[in-house]
Amino acid sequence: MASIVLSAPLQGWVTALDDVPDAVFAGRMLGDGLAIDPTGDCLYAPCAGRIVSVQSTGHALTIEAENGAQILIHLGIDTVGLGGRGFTPQVRAGDRVATGDALIDFDLDLLVREAPAVITPILLVESEGYQITNRASVGPILVGAPLMMVHEVASAEGKTGESADIDAATESRILRIDLPHGIHARPAARIAARARDFRATITLGKDARVASALSPTGLLALGIGHGDTITLAAQGSDGTAALDALVALISGGMDEAPAPAAPPPIAPRNADVPEGALVGVTAAPGLAIGPVRHHRAIDPEVLPMGSGVAQEQAAFTAAHAALAAEMTRQAATSHGPTRAILEAHAALLDDPALIDATRAGIARGESAGFAWRAAIRPQADALRAGGDTHLAERADDLRDLERQLLAHLLGVATSTQLYPAGTILIAEDLMPSDLIGSAEGLAGLCIAKGGPTSHVAILAASMGLPALVAIGPDVLDIADNTRVILDASNGLLHTAPSATHLAEAEAAQAKAAARRASALARAGTPCHTADGTRIEVVANLGSAAEAAPAVANGAEGCGLLRTEFLFLERDTAPTVAEQAAEYQAIADALEGRPLIVRLLDIGGDKPAPYLPIAGEENPALGLRGIRVGLAHPALLEEQLRAILSVQPTGQCKIMLPMVAQIEELRRVRALLDRLCAELGITRPVQLGIMVETPAAAVTADLLAREADFLSVGTNDLTQYTLAMDRANPAVASALDGLHPAVLRLIGETCRGGAAHGRWTGVCGGLASDPLAVPILLGLGVTELSTAPVMVPTIKALVSDVTLAACRDHAAAALACASAAEVRALARSFATKEMSA
């Protein structure tokens, strides 16, 4: 039988498991082995093998040795409570390792201070068929010294907890995990121990993955976290009793510390809220006047039991095909965010896990509608419960799919709901398909829930539809046909405006319409200030479909191509050829105008399934932006090769996201120079940076020595400067790029760039904010990259102001004490300039 020697993965003091201060480990509930009290700061591989799982908090991992034995190493006791602090995994699930390879770096000082103990169990788990001999003696040990030997032996027939009753029905329960740290080593051990008491085959499932309840390592590999929804299933004579016992065990908390209470949401604020106004978070700016209509979504009722497996399977197949065809037709006639969202929904609709789960439910006798709902809702509920605002908003997409397919199943296929022209639509929540099918006639949106990064918010902005989200439940009490004023730019819904207020708003609307018409008429000419200073106004693009409309609106090029559209919503990374074709199509649509391509910016709130990133305590401060590219050099090189293939050479400029230090720029510059040499490109390719971190802003003079241009991403710069997550509705309304701290950092960036003859642009939200633009010009910004729909407006605004006036205005803004003061000053400036 195969045997392996496990070498010591740590230096320190060998200890028997009996002396580990935790009953789960000391009682060998997870497995037998030894423990080491470490004196070093790195965990090494005790043998060659494959990494089975790495806990999201980085404190434990499982390795499968070449003889099949599974070894769990748990750094410290109760270290899951550190939430990842102090641990830096060097490997991930699926990696092959050799003996002595570094697995996890850890901060021993932090563990000693904050963990109950740092003693580390090294355990043989799933031990049936294996035994341990030649254990090291208690005492000091060095990394690589023999620790114990694991032998493969003949396993006994039959397993405790398994049922031979394969013909028994399978029962299942759906359970939300409220354990504060999810199912980590201790809960996994207790679940396995309890499952052994029953004659049943018991599994736990999360998403499309399933593990035996008897397998602690299998449970750990599921990565079940706080708020996740799991499915418990059992087959066998004790199936019902087993489920009852495990549900009671998990729901009872298993002696884990209670989850911390969520902080109360911070109400959106506004310096001066007029009487009768409601305050919300701006999803899309603008002014609208009109009667209120309520959108009331109704979840259709579905019968639990079907009319026969064959009939229900056929009904599901037909409804699925009809909805897929409908989405294809809509996508073919759409562009921009609408098309991207429809394509994302189509990808979700074709998810094999959802389809298989639905067909399995039908096979159990459920109706097609009931099975579809049972398949999709746990996924949506898990996203909502996970604590990540972006993922919670993606849950809306799943619920949207649920409703659409049910409508097809029930013969009430989603029909376009039309509203009278000028309607202000109010909803508790709104699905993307609701807006796509009903946008005609709408003048604005007010949504009680939702967030500023939801797909509905993105759609509203792309349609130029003023919209507020997170406005609160009071908006639902407004009666239909009430005439209101939606001032989305200022985050206000005036629910009972006076006749005078209505007249003023209507006059403002008329002036704005006249300005838009005039702006569009002269949008095709190069942009200059009134005193002749050249200012480039370009567009932010997110796909090839957006390029031609941007040019039609007068865009002088693309100041930010978000390349994530090529990398997300797919199972594998795009090839060089795929990328090159997309970049070339955009370059062609721009007809020779400059194209600034931002390198892949994923991580944090934009994960890719084929590029797993270990769980982070704060993803916004972790592996994201250019850090991801540098951590995955093959991916970075392929993207650069694709960009360099675009003709004519030089039309594309390259921009690095989330730069914080000059070493990042130097590493990409070295790679770019090597690729240019390999490809025979002699003409210099411009390489610039996005200034999104305070570090980049205050060292702009250093970065500008080596960067060809600087472009300020005001969205991220604002959140990092003010320490507020821009995706969190609880604080989003307090997050304002016109805060003096942000403006001062933009000013520093402009000064740093000018010191070396580099231009500074703005490609974040402030570039599309008419109140902000004069201040940006006064600070030294010479390029504005806006939403395509805003190009004519911004070009017209720039042509109406002088640079001298903007400089004086910017100086006054920097002296303000708050964003509210800056906005008041900006409104006064706009009024004075327009009346001049």
Side-chain angles (χ1 to χ4, degrees), residues 159 252 338 356 379 382 493-494 520 582 661 747 783:
K159 292 183 179 180
T338 302
D356 290 348
Q379 310 285 352
L493 175 67
H494 299 275
L520 191 57
E582 288 288 345
Q661 47 194 347
E783 185 234 44

Side-chain angles (χ1 to χ4, degrees), residues 62-324:
T62 304
I63 179 172
E64 183 178 73
E66 291 180 338
N67 69 345
Q70 298 209 3
I71 312 300
L72 170 67
I73 308 175
H74 193 286
L75 285 162
I77 303 302
D78 281 342
T79 43
V80 66
L82 296 176
R85 289 185 299 115
F87 300 102
T88 306
Q90 301 299 323
V91 293
R92 60 188 182 188
D95 285 352
R96 304 291 306 187
V97 296
T99 304
D101 283 354
L103 302 181
I104 300 174
D105 292 326
F106 56 92
D107 185 338
L108 184 61
D109 289 339
L110 184 146
L111 268 60
V112 169
R113 290 195 311 269
E114 300 193 28
V118 295
I119 192 167
T120 297
I122 301 101
L123 307 175
L124 169 65
V125 292
E126 316 291 329
S127 58
E128 186 170 356
Y130 299 91
Q131 68 179 21
I132 296 174
T133 64
N134 299 75
R135 300 172 198 254
S137 301
V138 172
I141 197 167
L142 296 175
V143 172
L147 182 67
M148 53 187 168
M149 183 172 285
V150 177
H151 304 275
E152 188 176 2
V153 297
S155 59
E157 293 186 8
K159 292 183 179 180
T160 304
E162 295 290 337
S163 171
D165 186 6
I166 61 174
D167 294 325
T170 299
E171 295 186 54
S172 63
R173 309 276 174 84
I174 293 175
L175 184 64
R176 183 182 185 277
I177 299 299
D178 289 323
L179 303 175
H181 307 297
I183 295 181
H184 56 100
R186 184 186 297 109
R190 290 180 173 167
I191 290 169
R194 191 72 180 96
R196 292 188 189 100
D197 295 337
F198 301 94
R199 288 192 56 79
T201 300
I202 310 165
T203 61
L204 274 71
K206 175 189 172 185
D207 300 330
R209 295 174 295 149
V210 176
S212 168
L214 298 176
S215 170
T217 55
L219 298 180
L220 292 177
L222 292 178
I224 299 171
H226 173 74
D228 284 350
T229 298
I230 66 169
T231 300
L232 286 160
Q235 182 184 36
S237 56
D238 291 346
T240 301
L243 292 179
D244 290 342
L246 289 177
V247 168
L249 175 67
I250 297 171
S251 300
M254 289 195 276
D255 300 322
E256 296 281 295
I266 300 172
R269 64 168 181 83
N270 191 288
D272 298 297
V273 180
E275 185 176 353
L278 298 177
V279 184
V281 175
T282 300
L287 179 67
I289 307 165
V292 161
R293 287 292 182 91
H294 284 264
H295 171 85
R296 296 179 174 86
I298 300 175
D299 282 337
E301 292 186 10
V302 292
L303 296 174
M305 303 308 294
S307 303
V309 172
Q311 184 175 337
E312 297 295 333
Q313 294 282 19
F316 174 69
T317 298
H320 187 277
L323 180 55

Side-chain angles (χ1 to χ4, degrees), residues 527-533 535 777 796-803 833:
C527 184
H528 296 80
T529 62
D531 51 359
T533 302
I535 304 294
L777 299 184
L797 188 158
V798 171
S799 68
D800 288 340
V801 298
T802 65
L803 192 58
E833 290 297 311

